[in-house]
Amino acid sequence: MALKIKAKEKKMKFSKDSEGVYRYVMVPELYSTLDQQKVIEEAAIRCGVSQGVMAACWKGAGDVIRAWATEGHSVTLPGLGTMRFGLSAKSVEDVNDVKKNLIKTRRIIFTPSSALKQELSTTAVQITCYDRNGEIVKRVISDDDGTVEDPDNTTETGDNAGSSGSNTGTSGNQNQNPSTDPTTGGGGTPSGGTGDEG
């Protein structure tokens, strides 16, 4: 198994007045979405049970996960990781400023298991390079070190940074895109920043 990626040559402008330069930009291959019935059929085959039994188990597990997540629990998704509901909100100094409008967004937070991250880190990445005319010019396997991004281990900064440290995953500054952890108080990364061209 491998992840299939396209590197397409595109003209990129880094200012309004620039004529632009061509760079190879990584984009995913397009895959069709596997619907629920397809997943149930495959799972039933692998488990050796009927599709009806698998469908009932699937629905029952979904109902339990949804109910427990709504109560504020972090719920295990078999073989994948954990899911919990959270909030993105502003922080304030005065308790009298704590109002409903502090909450900016409600979030679904997924934390992958170590086994799933290991699976991703060892999965080959096949890159097909296309020039500006859409012609294939090269195929290569990535030789990156397999590092998997872990948003729960980022550091949040700023005057309004902060977390509730609860299962609700309430974050600090509304201008940030945090992923909080109820055991550590969580963190986040700013939505803006600097980076290399391209």
Side-chain angles (χ1 to χ4, degrees):
M1 300 294 291
L3 295 173
K4 296 182 179 179
I5 304 295
K6 292 179 181 178
K8 300 180 72 173
E9 190 179 25
K10 295 182 177 181
K11 180 178 280 191
M12 303 184 70
K13 294 185 177 182
F14 300 103
S15 68
K16 292 182 179 180
D17 299 330
S18 83
E19 295 182 1
V21 294
Y22 281 97
R23 297 285 177 89
Y24 280 92
V25 180
M26 305 279 275
V27 295
E29 293 275 5
L30 295 178
Y31 292 99
S32 61
T33 300
L34 298 177
D35 63 20
Q36 177 175 300
Q37 184 57 38
K38 177 66 176 176
V39 177
I40 288 174
E41 290 174 5
E42 181 65 23
I45 292 171
R46 295 188 183 203
C47 295
V49 300
S50 70
Q51 290 184 30
V53 170
M54 182 57 65
C57 293
W58 182 281
K59 182 180 184 307
D63 290 345
V64 169
I65 291 169
R66 184 168 53 252
W68 285 354
T70 304
E71 292 175 2
H73 299 289
S74 178
V75 187
T76 298
L77 305 178
L80 299 176
T82 60
M83 185 202 75
R84 65 190 186 274
F85 291 165
L87 304 171
S88 178
K90 294 187 293 185
S91 61
V92 292
E93 294 182 17
D94 190 338
V95 69
N96 295 314
D97 292 330
V98 177
K99 302 174 183 176
K100 292 180 181 177
N101 63 2
L102 286 180
I103 298 173
K104 296 301 179 182
T105 58
R106 302 180 183 204
R107 309 174 61 219
I108 298 173
I109 303 165
F110 171 71
T111 303
S113 67
S114 297
L116 187 61
K117 289 191 285 187
Q118 178 64 23
E119 183 78 17
L120 176 57
S121 70
T122 58
T123 298
V125 179
Q126 297 178 352
I127 306 170
T128 303
C129 303
Y130 294 82
D131 65 15
R132 63 195 71 174
N133 300 315
E135 300 292 330
I136 296 176
V137 294
K138 184 179 181 181
R139 285 191 173 94
V140 65
I141 302 294
S142 174
D143 62 354
D144 66 294
D145 63 6
T147 299
V148 178
E149 183 180 74
D150 188 353
D152 279 345
N153 286 336
T154 57
T155 302
E156 185 171 305
T157 59
D159 293 338
N160 290 332
S163 294
S164 69
S166 72
N167 276 338
T168 57
T170 306
S171 72
N173 191 331
Q174 76 276 19
N175 294 325
Q176 297 179 346
N177 182 25
S179 177
T180 62
D181 187 322
T183 59
T184 63
T189 54
S191 56
T194 59
D196 296 333
E197 288 185 348

